Amino acid sequence: MKKDRSITTTTQLCAVIGNPVAHSLSPAIHNAAFNELGLDFVYVAFRVEALGKALDGMRSLQNFRGMSVTIPHKIEAMKFVDEIAEVDRAIGSINTIINENGKLVGLGTDGPGALKSLVDAGVKLAGKNILMLGAGGAARAIAFTLAQKAHPGKIVLLDVNETLLNGLVSDLKTGTETMIASGALNATVLQQAMPEADVIINCTPIGMHPHEGVSLVPVELYRAGQVVFDVVYTPLETKLLADARSRGLVTVSGVEMFINQAVMQFERFTGAEAPVEVMRRVVMEKLNS
């Protein structure tokens, strides 16, 4: 670890914006990485309500290089940036903004971060049936990324919110060539969907602190050979993952997606290769403390 850096007139500013942001791990992760590489960057957290004004400020501040965008601003932020990649426009949300000399470029790293987590775990996705629980923001990012880049056989989406579910299904059918199916997220439909699922991805907050000990999937529904991925990372091993592991299944924790998306943001902010193990260590220390 390098010595602490000095803040100067050339220091580049990065920040996470959201409401709330008090418990964000992002400042600790990014500052540790800046420090490790000796980069003239600093990362802070801002609670933001007036999003448009915040992004006007970013545009006008020459040293304001990058921004991580979290709840509740991921969708609205799209209205205030100058350029968005087509895949992120289809997803309908962004979590990263880069200030390129006053031009704000928006993009998403959640979907690519999730895909990398699965690939790194040795999960084969081509031609596989993917069952996704939830159709909110995380599900949109992951579903579009998998549909466009992983070539699955089919994606099945389940959610209790019919409007949200139908919107995502429609967008996926319009924006991708992957076979898409959907249904209500209830015990009956889940029991019907589980036998043919090769990969199960929980994109709901079920199982997240402070509601540990809850899983959407009864343990008896698992079958040999399935992979279970939970985007929740507090706790590090949710009941969903613990149950799947007890059945000998491959499991992927949401902390992998969180680290991957932060690494991708860091590299867009700085143009440098991220010190991944430093970032991972900081995340684990914070989550285990």
Side-chain angles (χ1 to χ4, degrees), residues 14-41:
C14 297
V16 57
I17 64 163
N19 188 13
V21 290
H23 296 95
S24 174
L25 298 179
S26 295
I29 298 165
H30 286 278
N31 284 316
F34 296 150
N35 198 33
E36 178 68 18
L37 299 186
L39 299 177
D40 192 14
F41 278 75

PDB file of all heavy atoms in Angstrom, residues 14-41:
ATOM      1  N   CYS A  14     -13.930  11.869  -8.128  1.00  0.00           N
ATOM      2  CA  CYS A  14     -14.972  10.896  -8.456  1.00  0.00           C
ATOM      3  C   CYS A  14     -15.900  10.794  -7.250  1.00  0.00           C
ATOM      4  O   CYS A  14     -15.500  11.100  -6.125  1.00  0.00           O
ATOM      5  CB  CYS A  14     -14.378   9.532  -8.784  1.00  0.00           C
ATOM      6  SG  CYS A  14     -13.315   9.511 -10.248  1.00  0.00           S
ATOM      7  N   ALA A  15     -17.125  10.364  -7.489  1.00  0.00           N
ATOM      8  CA  ALA A  15     -18.093  10.339  -6.387  1.00  0.00           C
ATOM      9  C   ALA A  15     -19.182   9.325  -6.655  1.00  0.00           C
ATOM     10  O   ALA A  15     -19.459   8.966  -7.805  1.00  0.00           O
ATOM     11  CB  ALA A  15     -18.724  11.724  -6.204  1.00  0.00           C
ATOM     12  N   VAL A  16     -19.802   8.873  -5.594  1.00  0.00           N
ATOM     13  CA  VAL A  16     -21.047   8.121  -5.702  1.00  0.00           C
ATOM     14  C   VAL A  16     -22.173   9.050  -5.287  1.00  0.00           C
ATOM     15  O   VAL A  16     -22.058   9.777  -4.293  1.00  0.00           O
ATOM     16  CB  VAL A  16     -21.032   6.844  -4.826  1.00  0.00           C
ATOM     17  CG1 VAL A  16     -20.773   7.142  -3.355  1.00  0.00           C
ATOM     18  CG2 VAL A  16     -22.343   6.069  -4.997  1.00  0.00           C
ATOM     19  N   ILE A  17     -23.248   9.067  -6.072  1.00  0.00           N
ATOM     20  CA  ILE A  17     -24.416   9.875  -5.722  1.00  0.00           C
ATOM     21  C   ILE A  17     -25.617   8.957  -5.558  1.00  0.00           C
ATOM     22  O   ILE A  17     -25.770   7.960  -6.263  1.00  0.00           O
ATOM     23  CB  ILE A  17     -24.715  10.969  -6.768  1.00  0.00           C
ATOM     24  CG1 ILE A  17     -25.083  10.329  -8.131  1.00  0.00           C
ATOM     25  CG2 ILE A  17     -23.556  11.920  -6.910  1.00  0.00           C
ATOM     26  CD1 ILE A  17     -25.782  11.288  -9.068  1.00  0.00           C
ATOM     27  N   GLY A  18     -26.446   9.295  -4.607  1.00  0.00           N
ATOM     28  CA  GLY A  18     -27.654   8.513  -4.352  1.00  0.00           C
ATOM     29  C   GLY A  18     -28.375   9.113  -3.165  1.00  0.00           C
ATOM     30  O   GLY A  18     -28.016  10.174  -2.659  1.00  0.00           O
ATOM     31  N   ASN A  19     -29.396   8.429  -2.711  1.00  0.00           N
ATOM     32  CA  ASN A  19     -30.130   8.876  -1.526  1.00  0.00           C
ATOM     33  C   ASN A  19     -30.891   7.673  -0.964  1.00  0.00           C
ATOM     34  O   ASN A  19     -31.921   7.293  -1.503  1.00  0.00           O
ATOM     35  CB  ASN A  19     -31.112   9.995  -1.887  1.00  0.00           C
ATOM     36  CG  ASN A  19     -31.748  10.613  -0.660  1.00  0.00           C
ATOM     37  OD1 ASN A  19     -31.302  10.397   0.457  1.00  0.00           O
ATOM     38  ND2 ASN A  19     -32.799  11.391  -0.877  1.00  0.00           N
ATOM     39  N   PRO A  20     -30.318   7.018   0.072  1.00  0.00           N
ATOM     40  CA  PRO A  20     -29.160   7.427   0.878  1.00  0.00           C
ATOM     41  C   PRO A  20     -27.842   6.886   0.304  1.00  0.00           C
ATOM     42  O   PRO A  20     -27.868   6.020  -0.570  1.00  0.00           O
ATOM     43  CB  PRO A  20     -29.443   6.765   2.232  1.00  0.00           C
ATOM     44  CG  PRO A  20     -30.184   5.499   1.846  1.00  0.00           C
ATOM     45  CD  PRO A  20     -31.016   5.852   0.642  1.00  0.00           C
ATOM     46  N   VAL A  21     -26.725   7.413   0.814  1.00  0.00           N
ATOM     47  CA  VAL A  21     -25.406   6.893   0.429  1.00  0.00           C
ATOM     48  C   VAL A  21     -24.491   6.681   1.636  1.00  0.00           C
ATOM     49  O   VAL A  21     -23.329   6.330   1.479  1.00  0.00           O
ATOM     50  CB  VAL A  21     -24.676   7.831  -0.565  1.00  0.00           C
ATOM     51  CG1 VAL A  21     -25.324   7.820  -1.919  1.00  0.00           C
ATOM     52  CG2 VAL A  21     -24.571   9.250  -0.010  1.00  0.00           C
ATOM     53  N   ALA A  22     -25.020   6.889   2.825  1.00  0.00           N
ATOM     54  CA  ALA A  22     -24.183   6.856   4.030  1.00  0.00           C
ATOM     55  C   ALA A  22     -23.464   5.530   4.226  1.00  0.00           C
ATOM     56  O   ALA A  22     -22.369   5.494   4.793  1.00  0.00           O
ATOM     57  CB  ALA A  22     -25.039   7.174   5.266  1.00  0.00           C
ATOM     58  N   HIS A  23     -24.053   4.428   3.751  1.00  0.00           N
ATOM     59  CA  HIS A  23     -23.447   3.119   3.978  1.00  0.00           C
ATOM     60  C   HIS A  23     -22.720   2.571   2.750  1.00  0.00           C
ATOM     61  O   HIS A  23     -22.348   1.400   2.714  1.00  0.00           O
ATOM     62  CB  HIS A  23     -24.521   2.116   4.440  1.00  0.00           C
ATOM     63  CG  HIS A  23     -25.130   2.485   5.758  1.00  0.00           C
ATOM     64  ND1 HIS A  23     -26.288   3.201   5.852  1.00  0.00           N
ATOM     65  CD2 HIS A  23     -24.707   2.270   7.019  1.00  0.00           C
ATOM     66  CE1 HIS A  23     -26.576   3.393   7.139  1.00  0.00           C
ATOM     67  NE2 HIS A  23     -25.625   2.840   7.860  1.00  0.00           N
ATOM     68  N   SER A  24     -22.498   3.435   1.755  1.00  0.00           N
ATOM     69  CA  SER A  24     -21.838   2.970   0.531  1.00  0.00           C
ATOM     70  C   SER A  24     -20.401   2.524   0.808  1.00  0.00           C
ATOM     71  O   SER A  24     -19.652   3.186   1.527  1.00  0.00           O
ATOM     72  CB  SER A  24     -21.826   4.088  -0.520  1.00  0.00           C
ATOM     73  OG  SER A  24     -21.079   3.687  -1.650  1.00  0.00           O
ATOM     74  N   LEU A  25     -20.014   1.399   0.202  1.00  0.00           N
ATOM     75  CA  LEU A  25     -18.639   0.915   0.292  1.00  0.00           C
ATOM     76  C   LEU A  25     -17.746   1.530  -0.785  1.00  0.00           C
ATOM     77  O   LEU A  25     -16.533   1.351  -0.752  1.00  0.00           O
ATOM     78  CB  LEU A  25     -18.609  -0.611   0.138  1.00  0.00           C
ATOM     79  CG  LEU A  25     -19.345  -1.445   1.186  1.00  0.00           C
ATOM     80  CD1 LEU A  25     -19.216  -2.925   0.844  1.00  0.00           C
ATOM     81  CD2 LEU A  25     -18.807  -1.175   2.571  1.00  0.00           C
ATOM     82  N   SER A  26     -18.346   2.232  -1.728  1.00  0.00           N
ATOM     83  CA  SER A  26     -17.596   2.704  -2.892  1.00  0.00           C
ATOM     84  C   SER A  26     -16.422   3.624  -2.553  1.00  0.00           C
ATOM     85  O   SER A  26     -15.340   3.464  -3.126  1.00  0.00           O
ATOM     86  CB  SER A  26     -18.541   3.385  -3.885  1.00  0.00           C
ATOM     87  OG  SER A  26     -19.458   2.448  -4.411  1.00  0.00           O
ATOM     88  N   PRO A  27     -16.560   4.598  -1.640  1.00  0.00           N
ATOM     89  CA  PRO A  27     -15.395   5.445  -1.337  1.00  0.00           C
ATOM     90  C   PRO A  27     -14.201   4.646  -0.825  1.00  0.00           C
ATOM     91  O   PRO A  27     -13.055   4.879  -1.253  1.00  0.00           O
ATOM     92  CB  PRO A  27     -15.931   6.415  -0.271  1.00  0.00           C
ATOM     93  CG  PRO A  27     -17.395   6.518  -0.578  1.00  0.00           C
ATOM     94  CD  PRO A  27     -17.785   5.125  -0.986  1.00  0.00           C
ATOM     95  N   ALA A  28     -14.444   3.697   0.066  1.00  0.00           N
ATOM     96  CA  ALA A  28     -13.341   2.902   0.614  1.00  0.00           C
ATOM     97  C   ALA A  28     -12.657   2.089  -0.481  1.00  0.00           C
ATOM     98  O   ALA A  28     -11.417   2.007  -0.537  1.00  0.00           O
ATOM     99  CB  ALA A  28     -13.862   1.979   1.712  1.00  0.00           C
ATOM    100  N   ILE A  29     -13.450   1.496  -1.366  1.00  0.00           N
ATOM    101  CA  ILE A  29     -12.897   0.641  -2.425  1.00  0.00           C
ATOM    102  C   ILE A  29     -12.059   1.463  -3.403  1.00  0.00           C
ATOM    103  O   ILE A  29     -10.915   1.118  -3.723  1.00  0.00           O
ATOM    104  CB  ILE A  29     -14.036  -0.045  -3.205  1.00  0.00           C
ATOM    105  CG1 ILE A  29     -14.846  -0.958  -2.294  1.00  0.00           C
ATOM    106  CG2 ILE A  29     -13.495  -0.824  -4.396  1.00  0.00           C
ATOM    107  CD1 ILE A  29     -16.162  -1.358  -2.904  1.00  0.00           C
ATOM    108  N   HIS A  30     -12.640   2.542  -3.911  1.00  0.00           N
ATOM    109  CA  HIS A  30     -11.956   3.323  -4.949  1.00  0.00           C
ATOM    110  C   HIS A  30     -10.742   4.068  -4.393  1.00  0.00           C
ATOM    111  O   HIS A  30      -9.687   4.114  -5.045  1.00  0.00           O
ATOM    112  CB  HIS A  30     -12.933   4.291  -5.612  1.00  0.00           C
ATOM    113  CG  HIS A  30     -13.891   3.613  -6.544  1.00  0.00           C
ATOM    114  ND1 HIS A  30     -13.562   3.274  -7.841  1.00  0.00           N
ATOM    115  CD2 HIS A  30     -15.165   3.187  -6.378  1.00  0.00           C
ATOM    116  CE1 HIS A  30     -14.585   2.687  -8.425  1.00  0.00           C
ATOM    117  NE2 HIS A  30     -15.576   2.624  -7.548  1.00  0.00           N
ATOM    118  N   ASN A  31     -10.862   4.624  -3.199  1.00  0.00           N
ATOM    119  CA  ASN A  31      -9.708   5.338  -2.635  1.00  0.00           C
ATOM    120  C   ASN A  31      -8.551   4.394  -2.338  1.00  0.00           C
ATOM    121  O   ASN A  31      -7.381   4.750  -2.520  1.00  0.00           O
ATOM    122  CB  ASN A  31     -10.121   6.123  -1.385  1.00  0.00           C
ATOM    123  CG  ASN A  31     -10.883   7.382  -1.738  1.00  0.00           C
ATOM    124  OD1 ASN A  31     -10.511   8.117  -2.647  1.00  0.00           O
ATOM    125  ND2 ASN A  31     -11.970   7.641  -1.019  1.00  0.00           N
ATOM    126  N   ALA A  32      -8.858   3.175  -1.907  1.00  0.00           N
ATOM    127  CA  ALA A  32      -7.798   2.193  -1.686  1.00  0.00           C
ATOM    128  C   ALA A  32      -7.089   1.870  -3.002  1.00  0.00           C
ATOM    129  O   ALA A  32      -5.861   1.718  -3.047  1.00  0.00           O
ATOM    130  CB  ALA A  32      -8.377   0.921  -1.072  1.00  0.00           C
ATOM    131  N   ALA A  33      -7.871   1.773  -4.072  1.00  0.00           N
ATOM    132  CA  ALA A  33      -7.290   1.473  -5.384  1.00  0.00           C
ATOM    133  C   ALA A  33      -6.472   2.654  -5.909  1.00  0.00           C
ATOM    134  O   ALA A  33      -5.370   2.469  -6.457  1.00  0.00           O
ATOM    135  CB  ALA A  33      -8.397   1.107  -6.366  1.00  0.00           C
ATOM    136  N   PHE A  34      -6.980   3.879  -5.753  1.00  0.00           N
ATOM    137  CA  PHE A  34      -6.205   5.070  -6.154  1.00  0.00           C
ATOM    138  C   PHE A  34      -4.881   5.110  -5.393  1.00  0.00           C
ATOM    139  O   PHE A  34      -3.817   5.391  -5.952  1.00  0.00           O
ATOM    140  CB  PHE A  34      -6.983   6.363  -5.862  1.00  0.00           C
ATOM    141  CG  PHE A  34      -8.265   6.531  -6.628  1.00  0.00           C
ATOM    142  CD1 PHE A  34      -9.326   7.244  -6.068  1.00  0.00           C
ATOM    143  CD2 PHE A  34      -8.426   6.007  -7.899  1.00  0.00           C
ATOM    144  CE1 PHE A  34     -10.511   7.428  -6.763  1.00  0.00           C
ATOM    145  CE2 PHE A  34      -9.613   6.184  -8.608  1.00  0.00           C
ATOM    146  CZ  PHE A  34     -10.655   6.893  -8.035  1.00  0.00           C
ATOM    147  N   ASN A  35      -4.975   4.848  -4.091  1.00  0.00           N
ATOM    148  CA  ASN A  35      -3.794   4.892  -3.225  1.00  0.00           C
ATOM    149  C   ASN A  35      -2.764   3.836  -3.640  1.00  0.00           C
ATOM    150  O   ASN A  35      -1.560   4.101  -3.696  1.00  0.00           O
ATOM    151  CB  ASN A  35      -4.223   4.672  -1.772  1.00  0.00           C
ATOM    152  CG  ASN A  35      -3.176   5.132  -0.778  1.00  0.00           C
ATOM    153  OD1 ASN A  35      -2.463   6.099  -1.032  1.00  0.00           O
ATOM    154  ND2 ASN A  35      -3.083   4.439   0.341  1.00  0.00           N
ATOM    155  N   GLU A  36      -3.264   2.643  -3.957  1.00  0.00           N
ATOM    156  CA  GLU A  36      -2.379   1.548  -4.349  1.00  0.00           C
ATOM    157  C   GLU A  36      -1.571   1.902  -5.596  1.00  0.00           C
ATOM    158  O   GLU A  36      -0.386   1.569  -5.697  1.00  0.00           O
ATOM    159  CB  GLU A  36      -3.207   0.284  -4.601  1.00  0.00           C
ATOM    160  CG  GLU A  36      -2.411  -0.922  -5.059  1.00  0.00           C
ATOM    161  CD  GLU A  36      -1.486  -1.488  -3.990  1.00  0.00           C
ATOM    162  OE1 GLU A  36      -1.681  -1.193  -2.794  1.00  0.00           O
ATOM    163  OE2 GLU A  36      -0.565  -2.236  -4.373  1.00  0.00           O
ATOM    164  N   LEU A  37      -2.208   2.590  -6.543  1.00  0.00           N
ATOM    165  CA  LEU A  37      -1.534   2.920  -7.801  1.00  0.00           C
ATOM    166  C   LEU A  37      -0.894   4.312  -7.787  1.00  0.00           C
ATOM    167  O   LEU A  37      -0.280   4.717  -8.777  1.00  0.00           O
ATOM    168  CB  LEU A  37      -2.528   2.823  -8.966  1.00  0.00           C
ATOM    169  CG  LEU A  37      -3.169   1.445  -9.204  1.00  0.00           C
ATOM    170  CD1 LEU A  37      -4.014   1.469 -10.465  1.00  0.00           C
ATOM    171  CD2 LEU A  37      -2.122   0.349  -9.297  1.00  0.00           C
ATOM    172  N   GLY A  38      -1.070   5.039  -6.674  1.00  0.00           N
ATOM    173  CA  GLY A  38      -0.493   6.378  -6.588  1.00  0.00           C
ATOM    174  C   GLY A  38      -1.124   7.369  -7.549  1.00  0.00           C
ATOM    175  O   GLY A  38      -0.453   8.272  -8.061  1.00  0.00           O
ATOM    176  N   LEU A  39      -2.419   7.222  -7.814  1.00  0.00           N
ATOM    177  CA  LEU A  39      -3.111   8.082  -8.767  1.00  0.00           C
ATOM    178  C   LEU A  39      -3.622   9.354  -8.085  1.00  0.00           C
ATOM    179  O   LEU A  39      -4.021   9.322  -6.920  1.00  0.00           O
ATOM    180  CB  LEU A  39      -4.289   7.337  -9.400  1.00  0.00           C
ATOM    181  CG  LEU A  39      -3.928   6.075 -10.188  1.00  0.00           C
ATOM    182  CD1 LEU A  39      -5.201   5.397 -10.706  1.00  0.00           C
ATOM    183  CD2 LEU A  39      -3.001   6.406 -11.351  1.00  0.00           C
ATOM    184  N   ASP A  40      -3.618  10.444  -8.812  1.00  0.00           N
ATOM    185  CA  ASP A  40      -4.063  11.735  -8.291  1.00  0.00           C
ATOM    186  C   ASP A  40      -5.576  11.855  -8.429  1.00  0.00           C
ATOM    187  O   ASP A  40      -6.102  12.680  -9.178  1.00  0.00           O
ATOM    188  CB  ASP A  40      -3.348  12.877  -9.032  1.00  0.00           C
ATOM    189  CG  ASP A  40      -3.538  14.230  -8.350  1.00  0.00           C
ATOM    190  OD1 ASP A  40      -3.996  14.259  -7.180  1.00  0.00           O
ATOM    191  OD2 ASP A  40      -3.241  15.259  -8.990  1.00  0.00           O
ATOM    192  N   PHE A  41      -6.275  10.981  -7.712  1.00  0.00           N
ATOM    193  CA  PHE A  41      -7.734  10.921  -7.713  1.00  0.00           C
ATOM    194  C   PHE A  41      -8.211  10.834  -6.269  1.00  0.00           C
ATOM    195  O   PHE A  41      -7.502  10.322  -5.400  1.00  0.00           O
ATOM    196  CB  PHE A  41      -8.228   9.646  -8.428  1.00  0.00           C
ATOM    197  CG  PHE A  41      -8.287   9.722  -9.924  1.00  0.00           C
ATOM    198  CD1 PHE A  41      -7.124   9.672 -10.683  1.00  0.00           C
ATOM    199  CD2 PHE A  41      -9.507   9.817 -10.583  1.00  0.00           C
ATOM    200  CE1 PHE A  41      -7.167   9.707 -12.062  1.00  0.00           C
ATOM    201  CE2 PHE A  41      -9.561   9.856 -11.968  1.00  0.00           C
ATOM    202  CZ  PHE A  41      -8.395   9.801 -12.716  1.00  0.00           C
TER     203      PHE A  41
END
